[in-house]
Amino acid sequence: MSFRLALQESPGNPWFSWRYVQDNSDTILAALREHAILTAEAMLIATAVAVPLAVVAYWYRPLTGPILALSGVLYTIPSLALLAFVAPYVGTTNPGSVLIALVLYALLLIVRNSLAGLNQVPPEARDAAQGMGYGRWGRLFRIDLPLALPGIVTGLRLATVSTVALVTVGALIGHGGLGDLILTGFRNNFYKAEILTGAVLCVVLALVLDLLLAMAGRLLTPWSRRAVR
Amino acid sequence: MRSENPIQQALTWLNDPLNWTNPGGILDRLGEHLWISAAAVALGCVVAWPIGMWLGHAGRGGSLVVLISNLTLAIPTIALLTILPLTFLGFGKPPVVVALAVFAVPPLLANAYTGVRSIDPEARDAARGMGLSGWQVLGRVELPLAVPYLAAGFRTASVQVVATAALASFVNGGGLGQIISAGFGLGISVGGGQILAGGFLVALLAMLVEAVLAVVERVVTPKPLRKARGRAARRAAVATGSA
């Protein structure tokens, strides 16, 4: 409960050390790679599932409630519990367990924001498309989805940032990317340099991916540039 | 090796009364979990509500609120859980409570801000016209009208903290997550049931808290505000990502 004087400012345990980074660059890079790959895989799968779900909810109104409720329930389940549900079946040392938990967790943010984006498509644009003879699919790909892109990108950005943070939970089964660094550092006699390196890289990775997605979103929607304040 | 599937193992594990009453059993862990969560949410409220309401009252800092939400979204819980015990907070419960409180702040802050911001300016003008000072407007008009938003933020923050508290087990911080971690420590053939049972308990607790606070939220929301507020809160939740 109280202060542990022994741990305070012990000279041999700085919060950051270049030496640690240089000596362990292989481990750090491997962790960063695993982290980035897990995030990318999770986001690709989640997008491939969530955007079609949002389209289904957009087309068939009665399904909107159930789809949002289901992804909401998945989102309410704590990440650790999701991992606990998946791991006994997929394997406790299999990175697939982490991947599945990450995908389930990212669904809600993408579905909700994509649906919000689709619902913001102006009715006039939809009517005009109909009048021009677009069918359901043509309208979806030429009108609805492009106009909903800002919402979809918002969802992807939120989901990516939270996924990067969540990957660390996988450290429990040794597949947490940078989370492994953090947890190993903690278990390894509170090695501060290792903990902080992992944590900082994690935040940096999240911010970099967020920035990249934001830029991609801007490039893909040149028409909205002036509209966005 | 395994004679039963994990679900049966989990049921067997849950069915053993000793797993409930032993020291470090389910009841102990549940108590820890609730205590840590309550302390974290309380701390978050003490910090976030005054700031959020003041920013809303002053009409400034909207971008600050969004920035804080986005930044905390990017910070892994485990990072805070492992870093804070090594600071002046020391080991034990305080760093865990502080770490969880950090993640409770964004929804509390965003909803307090939105709640005060979205009050009809005419109500505020009327209060001013009646001679109320800035503080009186805040206390007698804005605070009561913002209660539904505060309740919504409280619910979001509480569910999130209860969910995140499971991760405290990574640093041996107690709570129901400890059951899951212990299960993983035992390995899949022995601990599989325990992992699943622990996951089930944590998920159940999060859903229970969500359901109970949804009722509370409804009760404290005045009838005329109920429908409009539901929509507004959902918008606020989308804006902050509320994760």
Side-chain angles (χ1 to χ4, degrees):
Chain A
M1 279 301 249
S2 58
F3 300 99
R4 292 279 173 89
L5 289 172
L7 278 164
Q8 286 207 324
E9 303 305 325
S10 44
N13 194 4
W15 278 109
F16 184 77
S17 112
W18 267 117
R19 218 197 136 116
Y20 161 75
V21 176
Q22 278 165 351
D23 290 353
N24 297 278
S25 54
D26 288 351
T27 321
I28 297 172
L29 282 179
L32 185 63
R33 241 187 71 150
E34 186 183 39
H35 206 113
I37 290 175
L38 270 174
T39 307
E41 287 174 344
M43 288 312 297
L44 283 178
I45 300 174
T47 310
V49 176
V51 173
L53 268 181
V55 170
V56 168
Y58 172 64
W59 276 349
Y60 309 100
R61 294 283 145 177
L63 289 178
T64 304
I67 287 178
L68 282 182
L70 183 68
S71 38
V73 166
L74 286 174
Y75 196 71
T76 310
I77 297 176
S79 45
L80 189 61
L82 268 183
L83 191 59
F85 289 149
V86 178
Y89 294 97
V90 182
T92 41
T93 50
N94 187 343
S97 302
V98 185
L99 190 60
I100 293 174
L102 289 174
V103 169
L104 292 177
Y105 220 66
L107 282 183
L108 176 74
L109 289 172
I110 307 179
V111 169
R112 199 167 55 181
N113 283 287
S114 304
L115 189 59
L118 284 168
N119 283 333
Q120 272 165 12
V121 173
E124 304 89 55
R126 257 179 288 167
D127 288 347
Q130 202 124 32
M132 286 170 73
Y134 277 113
R136 166 168 271 190
W137 290 95
R139 207 186 78 190
L140 178 70
F141 286 111
R142 299 279 186 83
I143 312 289
D144 290 347
L145 282 180
L147 284 177
L149 257 181
I152 298 174
V153 171
T154 306
L156 288 182
R157 286 175 61 187
L158 287 171
T160 305
V161 171
S162 71
T163 301
V164 170
L166 262 179
V167 169
T168 55
V169 174
L172 184 61
I173 62 170
H175 289 286
L178 295 163
D180 291 344
L181 282 190
I182 299 176
L183 207 61
T184 328
F186 190 78
R187 287 179 180 154
N188 197 359
N189 224 349
F190 315 113
Y191 191 8
K192 289 179 181 173
E194 189 172 8
I195 297 175
L196 204 68
T197 306
V200 168
L201 281 178
C202 214
V203 174
V204 169
L205 181 65
L207 295 182
V208 166
L209 290 179
D210 188 50
L211 206 68
L212 286 178
L213 279 172
M215 273 165 32
R218 270 175 71 91
L219 285 177
L220 287 173
T221 57
W223 60 86
S224 67
R225 244 171 250 171
R226 216 164 297 159
V228 177
R229 273 143 286 166
Chain B
M1 287 285 274
R2 275 178 296 166
S3 52
E4 325 159 285
N5 66 42
I7 291 180
Q8 268 167 336
Q9 282 184 311
L11 288 177
T12 315
W13 192 85
L14 284 172
N15 213 12
D16 183 349
L18 284 182
N19 285 335
W20 289 77
T21 53
N22 266 347
I26 295 171
L27 295 179
D28 269 9
R29 295 304 184 197
L30 180 66
E32 281 175 351
H33 203 108
L34 291 175
W35 191 90
I36 295 173
S37 306
V41 174
L43 182 61
C45 290
V46 168
V47 174
W49 276 350
I51 297 178
M53 293 190 64
W54 178 251
L55 289 176
H57 175 76
R60 280 182 274 131
S63 51
L64 180 76
V65 173
V66 174
L67 182 75
I68 291 179
S69 317
N70 290 349
L71 266 183
T72 49
L73 199 63
I75 301 174
T77 318
I78 294 166
L80 278 191
L81 281 171
T82 48
I83 288 172
L84 288 178
L86 306 178
T87 63
F88 66 93
L89 286 167
F91 285 81
K93 299 270 185 289
V96 175
V97 170
V98 173
L100 295 179
V102 168
F103 296 98
V105 162
L108 292 168
L109 190 68
N111 276 287
Y113 177 80
T114 320
V116 174
R117 278 311 291 158
S118 60
I119 289 166
D120 190 349
E122 284 176 22
R124 210 177 283 144
D125 285 347
R128 279 268 156 75
M130 287 170 70
L132 268 63
S133 71
W135 279 105
Q136 284 172 324
V137 173
L138 185 62
R140 297 201 201 156
V141 180
E142 292 176 331
L143 178 63
L145 284 174
V147 160
Y149 285 86
L150 295 182
F154 186 81
R155 171 181 162 199
T156 312
S158 304
V159 173
Q160 198 186 316
V161 164
V162 165
T164 319
L167 296 179
S169 59
F170 278 63
V171 294
N172 230 341
L176 286 171
Q178 212 83 41
I179 294 171
I180 302 175
S181 301
F184 275 110
L186 289 172
I188 196 68
S189 52
V190 187
Q194 187 178 337
I195 295 171
L196 212 57
F200 171 74
L201 289 171
V202 173
L204 186 70
L205 184 64
M207 306 249 177
L208 264 180
V209 170
E210 162 93 14
V212 169
L213 289 180
V215 174
V216 171
E217 191 189 328
R218 223 185 130 68
V219 169
V220 300
T221 304
K223 242 183 216 148
L225 291 177
R226 271 177 203 168
K227 242 192 146 179
R229 196 219 50 72
R231 252 179 278 131
R234 232 168 288 142
R235 261 205 302 277
V238 170
T240 61
S242 79

